Amino acid sequence: MKICNDLLINDVPASGQLKESESVSFCLREHADIKLLFLGNSITRHGKAESLGWLGDWGMAASGAEKDYVHTLVRLLEENGKCVSYCVANLSEWERTRDMSLLSSRYAAAKAFGADIVIVRLGENAGLTENLSAFLPCYRDMTAYFTADGARAVVTDLFWEYEPFDSFVQSFAKEQGFAFARLHDLGNAEEMKATGIFSHQGVAAHPGDKGMAEIARRIYCALTSILN
């Protein structure tokens, strides 16, 4: 069983990554060609956390909002002629607790957004080495909830490799007809992380600018396969 060490040493707390009122945010554009919903965790967006040495409010540990994978992916689409509205939902509280009632309460606005395409990029905070069997049906139900109105989906495996979950997501994507983006090799490459930039080891284990750019590129490739 392959487990990337960073999955085990990542001590960025799963709770409190954002205030409840900030769990869902929007960038709305008039006459958008496409509406994207990003479902993620700290790699997608993490608010300021001085105790961790993290002062941003975007995907940890990009050097700026424009460098995280969400904004990079949107930029790639816009450079190719798409006008994009998007919603970013940090699901770390759901990921940690598997409390399905959060989907219709804390994350209700993300559902109401009515996305055309849902990008599901999470799992690292689920305690998968202990909770895999409990998490998988919840992951299925969560994805079904956000795609129930006909949205298409791109799902990814983990940044920090954990083969049982990574294999599940790839098979799940094929079963459901979702696009799949393979990421799990990135967390094994030091140049893809923010190593040496942050003193906190959990923050430093997150994707740096190069890692974020590669995440965006791979999701973009998966996304274009269902847009064309």
Side-chain angles (χ1 to χ4, degrees), residues 12-30:
V12 172
S15 60
Q17 293 187 358
L18 288 167
K19 297 176 182 177
E20 182 171 353
S21 60
E22 299 172 345
S23 295
V24 180
S25 59
F26 302 90
C27 180
L28 304 178
R29 294 193 169 95
E30 194 172 1

Side-chain angles (χ1 to χ4, degrees), residues 73-146:
L73 176 60
V74 170
R75 186 167 61 252
L76 287 172
L77 288 164
E78 292 179 336
E79 287 171 354
N80 283 276
K82 299 291 186 183
C83 181
V84 182
S85 284
Y86 60 96
C87 172
V88 177
N90 179 306
L91 260 65
S92 58
E93 286 298 319
W94 170 84
E95 193 182 25
R96 178 179 65 86
T97 64
R98 304 186 299 279
D99 180 353
M100 302 305 286
S101 71
L102 290 173
L103 302 182
S104 58
S105 55
R106 184 167 183 151
Y107 306 111
K111 171 73 168 178
F113 176 64
D116 301 308
I117 297 179
V118 179
I119 297 169
V120 186
R121 208 247 54 83
L122 48 74
E124 288 87 355
N125 293 318
L128 293 174
T129 55
E130 299 86 19
N131 300 318
L132 181 67
S133 62
F135 184 70
L136 296 187
C138 294
Y139 180 93
R140 282 181 173 275
D141 290 348
M142 176 274 295
T143 306
Y145 176 79
F146 284 107

Side-chain angles (χ1 to χ4, degrees), residues 36-226:
L36 299 181
L37 170 59
F38 294 88
L39 304 177
N41 51 35
S42 59
I43 294 175
T44 299
R45 183 187 172 199
H46 194 301
K48 183 177 179 181
E50 292 187 5
S51 62
L52 305 178
W54 171 246
L55 304 180
D57 186 8
W58 52 80
M60 185 182 276
S63 62
E66 74 283 0
K67 296 288 189 178
D68 72 13
Y69 87 86
V70 169
H71 294 87
T72 301
L73 176 60
V74 170
R75 186 167 61 252
L76 287 172
L77 288 164
E78 292 179 336
E79 287 171 354
N80 283 276
K82 299 291 186 183
C83 181
V84 182
S85 284
Y86 60 96
C87 172
V88 177
N90 179 306
L91 260 65
S92 58
E93 286 298 319
W94 170 84
E95 193 182 25
R96 178 179 65 86
T97 64
R98 304 186 299 279
D99 180 353
M100 302 305 286
S101 71
L102 290 173
L103 302 182
S104 58
S105 55
R106 184 167 183 151
Y107 306 111
K111 171 73 168 178
F113 176 64
D116 301 308
I117 297 179
V118 179
I119 297 169
V120 186
R121 208 247 54 83
L122 48 74
E124 288 87 355
N125 293 318
L128 293 174
T129 55
E130 299 86 19
N131 300 318
L132 181 67
S133 62
F135 184 70
L136 296 187
C138 294
Y139 180 93
R140 282 181 173 275
D141 290 348
M142 176 274 295
T143 306
Y145 176 79
F146 284 107
T147 59
D149 297 325
R152 290 168 288 175
V154 179
V155 297
T156 84
D157 55 9
L158 303 177
F159 180 74
W160 302 303
E161 183 176 6
Y162 183 57
E163 192 277 334
F165 182 75
D166 297 334
S167 296
F168 161 79
V169 174
Q170 186 170 9
S171 297
F172 176 66
K174 184 175 182 180
E175 167 197 310
Q176 297 294 319
F178 296 155
F180 172 73
R182 177 180 178 269
L183 306 180
H184 71 253
D185 58 301
L186 300 179
N188 294 317
E190 289 300 314
E191 66 270 20
M192 294 294 173
K193 296 181 284 190
T195 305
I197 299 174
F198 296 93
S199 58
H200 188 280
Q201 68 173 0
V203 179
H206 280 63
D209 289 353
K210 186 174 181 179
M212 289 289 190
E214 185 60 14
I215 291 171
R217 186 191 71 81
R218 294 188 187 187
I219 295 176
Y220 176 77
C221 289
L223 183 57
T224 54
S225 74
I226 59 176

